[in-house]
Amino acid sequence: MITEKQPGTDLVTDLGAEPGTATGTGEEPLSRYIQRLTRRVRAFDTRRPGVWDGLLTAFWTAAALIDAMGGWRNTAPNPSVPTWLVVAMSLAFALPLLWRRRRPVAVLAVMACVALVNQGTGAFLQAGLLQLLVVFHIALRRPLRTLPWTLALLTPPLVMGAIRYPQGSWDQQVVPALWAYAMGALLGIAVRSRLDHTAALVDRARRLEVERDQQAQLAAAAERTRIAREMHDIIGHNLAVITGLADGGRYAATKNPERAAEALDAIGTTSRQALAELRRLLRGEPVRDPQPTLDDLDDLIAGVRTAGLPVRLATHGDPPKLATGAQLTVYRVVQEALTNTLKHAGPGAEATVLLSYGPQASTVEITDTGRTRGTGTTGTGQGVTGMRERAALYDGTLEAGPLPDGGWRVRLRLPLEESPS
């Protein structure tokens, strides 16, 4: 259900509180406003970096020129520096800021040269503090091994000013300025760490989204494969049984009408069962009846016998407690093998189903005495592939191929869960 939000309540709701609660009185918190403003500035900077760089450079250039009009004399040890030199140094400090992001080391080198003149002449312009911005960008965008070279560029002008125009002890002029530059570098490192962390989170979220989509695609493909395998087993087996019943009923219609009627009844029952299973499979309806197990093999074989294929069932050993899925695998393999016999073995064929239960594995062997299959049924068809996939789910193996003396054999081996595969 979609509800309409009241104006002014979005940000409070985002903070996890209801409008008008202790979190606020319906007004936007100051921290939330600052965060939103910061995001807008960053977005604008990302879209138009040249505009932002131009505005920032113009602002500091104007500030430096205002200071060069006479205010610099209030703090300068040598107020007699020519005005043209002060203006030139102010512009040299401010204008290179336009390239501070693309070439911060080169910009700092230019500023360091101007700083030597600034400290050597005794002007001590406040525009020299603009080097802090460049140090910040070096720490933000360049490898950390660049910072020692930055220190080598910043120190000589400070030492020169302390030597030529001492004001108290020399360390009072050099150390505080170096600490200020260190704070700028630490701020750049902190921002860089946060940006790297955010980028890592975004990359992880993107990879998780890709993995989620891949998992969904794999799950969909696995579900399609399962549905195709189940449809092949259901339709193939039931159609083979119906075909056998229809052939038998056609021959019995002229000699024994009662047997023909029984065959028609069996065809109807088999068709309804197949239709019900297909509807359940395609609609994804919950299973009301349990999946076939080893106990249902007798009914399966009885249906195949009704279709006209003589089948003999033999069991060796005591049946172990197989998982329900493993029992379904045995059932489907027997079903598919007998279906193939009905379709390909020809008239007069007989089949044998041998169940052998051992201490380490259960073996199912289905053989028939029919004619040899063609190349299309030598173990590369969808039915045999589906049987192998079922067997692989339980670490089993399946072999399918012709017998030396004629006929066909399908052999399934399923290891017990507590035995090694």
Side-chain angles (χ1 to χ4, degrees):
M1 181 177 63
I2 300 176
T3 58
E4 182 178 358
K5 294 184 178 180
Q6 297 297 326
T9 63
D10 290 348
L11 295 172
V12 178
T13 305
D14 291 339
L15 290 174
E18 297 294 334
T21 59
T23 303
T25 58
E27 298 180 356
E28 183 179 11
L30 179 60
S31 60
R32 188 63 111 181
Y33 173 78
I34 294 175
Q35 291 177 3
R36 184 163 58 87
L37 182 61
T38 303
R39 285 196 298 267
R40 290 183 177 180
V41 172
R42 288 177 178 173
F44 178 79
D45 185 33
T46 302
R47 292 193 305 269
R48 299 178 179 275
V51 174
W52 178 254
D53 290 343
L55 290 174
L56 187 67
T57 303
F59 172 79
W60 288 115
T61 300
L65 291 177
I66 291 174
D67 184 59
M69 298 305 294
W72 62 275
R73 293 187 174 89
N74 296 327
T75 57
N78 182 17
S80 62
V81 179
T83 303
W84 68 267
L85 182 58
V86 172
V87 173
M89 288 190 296
S90 299
L91 292 175
F93 275 127
L95 292 179
L97 291 177
L98 188 63
W99 298 276
R100 74 191 187 283
R101 286 198 281 195
R102 286 173 289 178
R103 299 182 178 274
V105 178
V107 169
L108 185 63
V110 172
M111 287 185 170
C113 295
V114 180
L116 281 173
V117 179
N118 180 42
Q119 298 289 338
T121 57
F124 284 24
L125 297 178
Q126 299 298 315
L129 295 177
L130 294 177
Q131 295 175 96
L132 281 169
L133 292 176
V134 185
V135 172
F136 170 81
H137 280 280
I138 290 176
L140 178 64
R141 302 177 185 279
R142 290 294 180 265
L144 295 181
R145 62 177 179 271
T146 311
L147 291 178
W149 296 100
T150 303
L151 180 64
L153 291 173
L154 295 171
T155 305
L158 298 175
V159 174
M160 176 180 288
I163 293 175
R164 293 202 60 181
Y165 301 95
Q167 298 177 1
S169 61
W170 69 272
D171 59 328
Q172 291 179 352
Q173 293 181 254
V174 175
V175 175
L178 292 179
W179 270 114
Y181 293 133
M183 292 299 102
L186 289 176
L187 180 61
I189 293 173
V191 174
R192 178 179 187 168
S193 300
R194 180 175 178 82
L195 292 176
D196 291 344
H197 179 67
T198 304
L201 292 179
V202 172
D203 181 67
R204 182 184 177 189
R206 185 181 296 109
R207 286 188 286 106
L208 289 176
E209 184 178 357
V210 172
E211 292 177 2
R212 181 198 63 190
D213 295 340
Q214 291 177 346
Q215 291 294 333
Q217 293 175 1
L218 290 175
E223 181 65 12
R224 286 195 297 267
T225 302
R226 185 191 68 82
I227 293 175
R229 185 170 57 235
E230 293 290 340
M231 288 184 63
H232 177 272
D233 293 341
I234 294 171
I235 296 177
H237 173 72
N238 287 285
L239 284 181
V241 172
I242 290 172
T243 301
L245 291 171
D247 291 339
R250 182 170 60 85
Y251 287 112
T254 57
K255 299 180 180 180
N256 192 342
E258 295 180 358
R259 294 295 300 274
E262 293 176 359
L264 291 175
D265 291 339
I267 290 174
T269 302
T270 304
S271 301
R272 284 189 292 272
Q273 291 176 352
L275 184 60
E277 291 186 26
L278 283 177
R279 284 176 176 172
R280 174 183 58 79
L281 180 66
L282 297 178
R283 294 179 182 177
E285 297 177 353
V287 180
R288 297 185 178 88
D289 298 329
Q291 292 289 341
T293 62
L294 295 178
D295 296 333
D296 299 304
L297 284 177
D298 292 334
D299 294 337
L300 172 66
I301 293 175
V304 175
R305 288 170 180 165
T306 304
L309 175 65
V311 182
R312 185 173 66 91
L313 176 63
T315 303
H316 293 165
D318 297 328
K321 293 183 179 179
L322 292 176
T324 303
Q327 296 188 44
L328 176 62
T329 297
V330 173
Y331 181 91
R332 293 302 189 194
V333 167
V334 173
Q335 182 185 56
E336 177 65 21
L338 294 179
T339 301
N340 289 337
T341 299
L342 279 171
K343 292 191 296 184
H344 304 293
E350 297 181 359
T352 301
V353 178
L354 177 60
L355 303 177
S356 300
Y357 304 110
Q360 294 185 347
S362 299
T363 304
V364 183
E365 189 171 281
I366 305 99
T367 58
D368 63 61
T369 60
R371 62 192 178 196
T372 302
R373 276 50 155 187
T375 57
T377 59
T378 56
T380 59
Q382 184 176 359
V384 177
T385 301
M387 288 191 288
R388 287 201 175 100
E389 291 175 354
R390 289 183 182 276
L393 290 176
Y394 295 92
D395 280 347
T397 58
L398 186 131
E399 301 173 0
L403 294 171
D405 298 332
W408 193 263
R409 182 186 70 172
V410 176
R411 186 176 184 274
L412 169 68
R413 183 184 183 277
L414 291 180
L416 300 183
E417 293 183 358
E418 62 273 8
S419 64
S421 58

